[in-house]
Amino acid sequence: MSAPSTYDPRLTFSPLTFDDPVNVYRSSNGAPGPSYWQNEASYEMHADLDTAAKVLKNNETITYINNSPDTLPSLWIQLEQNTYKKDSRARIMSGGGRRGRRGADTASTVPVVTTTDGFVFDSVEIEAGKQTTKAEYIVNDTRMQIRLAEPLKGHGGQVKIHIHYHYQIPGVWGGRTSWGMSEKGEIYDMAQWYPRMAVYDDLHGWDTLPYVGSEFYLEYGHFDYFLTVPSNMIVAGSGELVNPKDVLTKTEIARLDQARGSDKTVYIRTPAEVSDPASRPKQDGVLTWHFHMDHTRDVSWSASPVFVWDAARMNLPDGKTGLAMSVYPPESVGPDAWDKSTEYVKDTVEHFSKQWFPYQWPTAISVAGFSTGMEYPGIVFDGIQDKGPFLFWVTAHEIGHDWFPMIVGSNERRHAFMDEGFNTFIDIDESATYAGGKYGPKRDSEYSAGGEPPDTILKTLDNPEAPTVMMRADGYPGQLGHPISYFKGAYGMVLLREQILGPERFDWAFRKYIKDWAYRHPSPSDFFRAMESEGGEDLGWFWKGWYLNNWKYDVAVDKVEGSVVTISNRGQLVLPTTVEVTFKDGSKTRVKLPVETWLSKGVYAWTLENKAAVAKVVVDPDHMLPDDDRSNNEKVLP
């Protein structure tokens, strides 16, 4: 028999005050306030890839605009490559090694102990007005503080930072930068490859959480970057290739033009041409690839002499188009493998653009390499051996990150659920709709509507050691990161859409939230307020139960006496709950108990209008809710 109820309505329905207060920067309806501000960081970079020495050199200029009302005496810059230094916080935190991830070589799943000197600075200079001077700076782990001789004024003050540096490329797996040898040749996945401005915002001032392995928080701006690589390489980069005539053959340029008008995938460089020197415009030396991307918080790229390359048109709202593209080594070719990648990218971008918010960038690229399962604006990295349903799922998930957090720029390091949870939620829907549901329902441990909540969620709710959804990304112990930030985060959105608000109210509110915060920095408080205000529901009880606590949901059928059904709430979490009664004549009736049922009590007596003999009473008959104890959900009468 189940334990008696310990439910306390005073706890569930007590007033909730959100962490971030309403002010002129953030409004009570969850939208940016009338005086919302955000700083801007734009980049021009000229990088050289030395494949012999495995070194990247870069000449970087950051144009930083201080739109805040504050005068800034210093600037903070993120230095993620320093995570590979021997004394880095990340290295010590992980026990002295760094663990590889799934890749083409299964041996890469063993610990990789590569260490480097991180970013090595040849010079750091500040340009203010017409004067350029050597910068005074300190480096602490993965952060650099530049101390300004003249503080940077607010309301549009501008400064340029010139950084010349180089670093050793870690491999085979280097976290988010990697190089490795595929069957035919090397692949370089270059991410977190340049010093990046930290965010200065109205919530934390300078947000200087160190990089210890999980995710990012970055400012938006415009990027021009020039990549000088061996001439035999194909380069895929975030944004648009500005100089195709300098780096592609006439045949490849013609095929790209064909792909821009084709819903079917078009080869830009075929598998057979990978070994053909004529597939490159010159046979030796180097070429410089120039990419441009507007209104983005980051860029990344990949380079290899053995890339197969294909593309297709993406059809976007308002008659706009873009290019879905994939690059991959020859061993990834196959009708159930990377031959389908561009089709998956295209379908995902088109679906999310129609359902949630239009994709704004000119290209969306998937790369088969060694930095598997990682995402950056307009480009994602997946596995060389990925195929079948998994290739579809991982593509949809990583491309979905273009919406969360690349377009809606939440703070991934502090609030992982606004990144992984939101994205897992939308990619469940992509799995359900692609090719009539060919790869649905997606069941990589998150909740899938129409099926039973998986054990992962219930075990997480039952685990007294489990942190809440609000835990920062690096703080989840053991194997709890995915179950909480991805799966519980996604299931919360499913509950909100399917059980609490309904699709009509949820979709309206969530679309407005995305539009309001596109290329901006929302906090959890902004999301909570937006869904309440536009969803038309006071949801404090849900935020407290699902996000701020790991409360359990457990509703039981206690007894049936004649036409009175007694139901009790035995957990602290409340949810709208369907109860179904089957009568002995075969007829049925249902009621959906609103959360207000438990506003002041834990026991509810439902008097049936139909006085016929009752055969069975079931709570949550469709198994849509995370009921902790299903043994008490049903009462069968003799």
Side-chain angles (χ1 to χ4, degrees):
M1 180 176 289
S2 299
S5 175
T6 59
Y7 170 70
D8 184 352
R10 297 169 299 178
L11 183 58
T12 296
F13 291 99
S14 63
L16 174 62
T17 300
F18 296 124
D19 288 342
D20 302 322
V22 171
N23 52 39
V24 295
Y25 308 134
R26 296 172 189 267
S27 295
S28 59
N29 65 352
S35 298
Y36 177 82
W37 55 267
Q38 190 169 299
N39 291 350
E40 180 179 328
S42 293
Y43 299 78
E44 180 180 330
M45 294 181 286
H46 298 261
D48 292 89
L49 177 64
D50 184 338
T51 56
K54 302 294 183 288
V55 169
L56 185 79
K57 301 176 183 178
N58 193 16
N59 177 1
E60 172 183 10
T61 298
I62 307 172
T63 301
Y64 185 69
I65 301 175
N66 178 20
N67 294 315
S68 82
D70 306 324
T71 297
L72 304 179
S74 69
L75 307 174
W76 282 93
I77 296 175
Q78 303 183 59
L79 309 175
E80 279 98 344
Q81 285 301 317
N82 285 4
T83 193
Y84 303 111
K85 298 176 75 170
K86 279 189 175 182
D87 61 349
S88 75
R89 295 189 189 188
R91 185 174 173 79
I92 294 170
M93 173 182 166
S94 63
R98 294 193 57 78
R99 182 158 294 279
R101 294 179 63 172
R102 176 182 52 82
D105 179 1
T106 56
S108 67
T109 60
V110 302
V112 177
V113 294
T114 301
T115 60
T116 74
D117 293 327
F119 284 123
V120 178
F121 298 104
D122 303 304
S123 66
V124 181
E125 297 177 317
I126 293 292
E127 179 184 344
K130 297 182 179 180
Q131 188 174 12
T132 300
T133 57
K134 183 178 179 180
E136 178 188 349
Y137 67 90
I138 63 169
V139 172
N140 181 275
D141 197 55
T142 57
R143 293 81 50 91
M144 167 195 280
Q145 184 187 37
I146 296 179
R147 294 166 176 175
L148 300 173
E150 183 71 30
L152 182 61
K153 294 180 179 179
H155 302 293
Q158 181 172 310
V159 67
K160 289 190 176 182
I161 309 160
H162 300 281
I163 306 176
H164 291 225
Y165 68 92
H166 62 276
Y167 72 87
Q168 191 78 36
I169 302 168
V172 60
W173 167 254
R176 273 79 185 264
T177 289
S178 68
W179 65 268
M181 182 66 71
S182 70
E183 290 180 7
K184 302 293 185 181
E186 290 183 309
I187 298 175
Y188 292 80
D189 291 336
M190 305 302 292
Q192 288 151 271
W193 56 284
Y194 60 97
R196 307 185 290 184
M197 291 300 303
V199 173
Y200 184 86
D201 64 21
D202 60 294
L203 299 176
H204 297 281
W206 286 109
D207 199 308
T208 56
L209 281 181
Y211 175 61
V212 292
S214 290
E215 315 301 7
F216 327 109
Y217 187 38
L218 299 164
E219 294 288 20
Y220 289 90
H222 308 284
F223 285 71
D224 266 298
Y225 61 110
F226 301 77
L227 309 171
T228 299
V229 303
S231 61
N232 66 336
M233 284 186 154
I234 292 290
V235 180
S238 298
E240 186 161 19
L241 178 63
V242 176
N243 63 334
K245 292 181 180 179
D246 296 336
V247 295
L248 303 180
T249 66
K250 290 182 178 179
T251 298
E252 289 162 348
I253 292 172
R255 291 172 178 172
L256 267 177
D257 288 339
Q258 179 187 353
R260 289 188 177 94
S262 174
D263 286 322
K264 299 293 184 182
T265 301
V266 174
Y267 275 122
I268 313 304
R269 191 196 200 200
T270 69
E273 290 169 337
V274 166
S275 58
D276 183 359
S279 68
R280 304 304 303 120
K282 59 186 287 190
Q283 308 307 317
D284 54 18
V286 297
L287 291 171
T288 298
W289 297 62
H290 176 197
F291 293 91
H292 178 84
M293 195 174 190
D294 286 320
H295 225 48
T296 182
R297 46 178 247 168
D298 195 9
V299 292
S300 187
W301 53 282
S302 187
S304 175
V306 298
F307 272 153
V308 179
W309 181 8
D310 62 36
R313 178 182 63 196
M314 299 185 296
N315 302 298
L316 305 173
D318 300 323
K320 296 180 180 179
T321 60
L323 269 180
M325 299 195 289
S326 300
V327 293
Y328 45 94
E331 63 263 37
S332 296
V333 171
D336 192 38
W338 278 79
D339 290 12
K340 303 288 285 184
S341 172
T342 290
E343 180 182 324
Y344 298 158
V345 172
K346 168 183 164 68
D347 191 86
T348 300
V349 172
E350 291 177 348
H351 178 71
F352 292 160
S353 292
K354 181 179 179 181
Q355 176 68 7
W356 301 117
F357 185 81
Y359 190 76
Q360 302 289 304
W361 295 312
T363 59
I365 308 168
S366 187
V367 178
F370 294 91
S371 295
T372 58
M374 268 310 299
E375 69 282 351
Y376 297 89
I379 189 169
V380 302
F381 301 117
D382 292 319
I384 291 171
Q385 301 297 334
D386 291 350
K387 59 185 177 181
F390 181 82
L391 178 59
F392 170 82
W393 288 329
V394 73
T395 301
H397 180 81
E398 304 307 338
I399 289 292
H401 277 301
D402 275 316
W403 280 260
F404 306 102
M406 308 306 171
I407 292 174
V408 181
S410 57
N411 188 335
E412 299 174 78
R413 286 187 185 163
R414 292 187 184 273
H415 311 298
F417 81 93
M418 299 178 74
D419 160 33
E420 298 295 358
F422 288 2
N423 181 37
T424 301
F425 164 67
I426 66 172
D427 78 52
I428 293 170
D429 185 48
E430 168 64 6
S431 297
T433 58
Y434 171 76
K438 178 180 179 180
Y439 296 128
K442 185 178 180 220
R443 295 184 183 276
D444 60 349
S445 299
E446 82 278 11
Y447 178 76
S448 177
E452 185 133 8
D455 290 342
T456 304
I457 297 298
L458 297 182
K459 287 178 181 178
T460 299
L461 295 176
D462 282 340
N463 187 348
E465 303 298 321
T468 71
V469 174
M470 306 301 286
M471 172 63 71
R472 75 182 240 196
D474 294 301
Y476 292 108
Q479 302 300 312
L480 287 171
H482 271 66
I484 297 175
S485 62
Y486 288 66
F487 311 143
K488 188 180 178 187
Y491 189 12
M493 297 292 279
V494 171
L495 290 171
L496 197 57
R497 185 178 193 265
E498 304 298 335
Q499 305 301 319
I500 299 170
L501 294 178
E504 186 176 17
R505 287 196 291 166
F506 176 93
D507 291 357
W508 170 269
F510 196 45
R511 286 170 186 153
K512 183 179 185 298
Y513 164 79
I514 296 170
K515 183 178 180 180
D516 285 345
W517 289 101
Y519 313 107
R520 292 172 170 160
H521 298 314
S523 74
S525 299
D526 299 314
F527 168 68
F528 296 154
R529 289 189 176 105
M531 298 309 292
E532 287 192 348
S533 182
E534 288 301 316
E537 204 74 45
D538 185 334
L539 298 168
W541 51 271
F542 185 57
W543 310 136
K544 276 188 288 186
W546 195 259
Y547 291 84
L548 304 178
N549 295 281
N550 282 332
W551 289 346
K552 298 176 187 178
Y553 167 85
D554 181 17
V555 172
V557 182
D558 289 344
K559 59 184 178 180
V560 180
E561 296 177 331
S563 60
V564 178
V565 178
T566 302
I567 300 164
S568 64
N569 185 5
R570 301 187 180 188
Q572 196 60 48
L573 176 67
V574 298
L575 290 167
T577 300
T578 298
V579 183
E580 181 180 84
V581 177
T582 302
F583 297 96
K584 290 189 176 180
D585 62 9
S587 62
K588 295 182 179 181
T589 187
R590 281 191 175 194
V591 64
K592 191 166 188 177
L593 303 179
V595 295
E596 287 80 6
T597 303
W598 316 112
L599 191 58
S600 61
K601 59 185 182 299
V603 178
Y604 173 70
W606 175 24
T607 301
L608 304 172
E609 292 184 8
N610 188 340
K611 304 304 180 184
V614 173
K616 182 172 67 172
V617 179
V618 182
V619 166
D620 186 27
D622 303 318
H623 287 198
M624 304 299 286
L625 304 176
D627 199 294
D628 190 65
D629 181 5
R630 291 201 172 273
S631 69
N632 60 28
N633 283 30
E634 182 176 306
K635 186 75 71 175
V636 179
L637 279 71

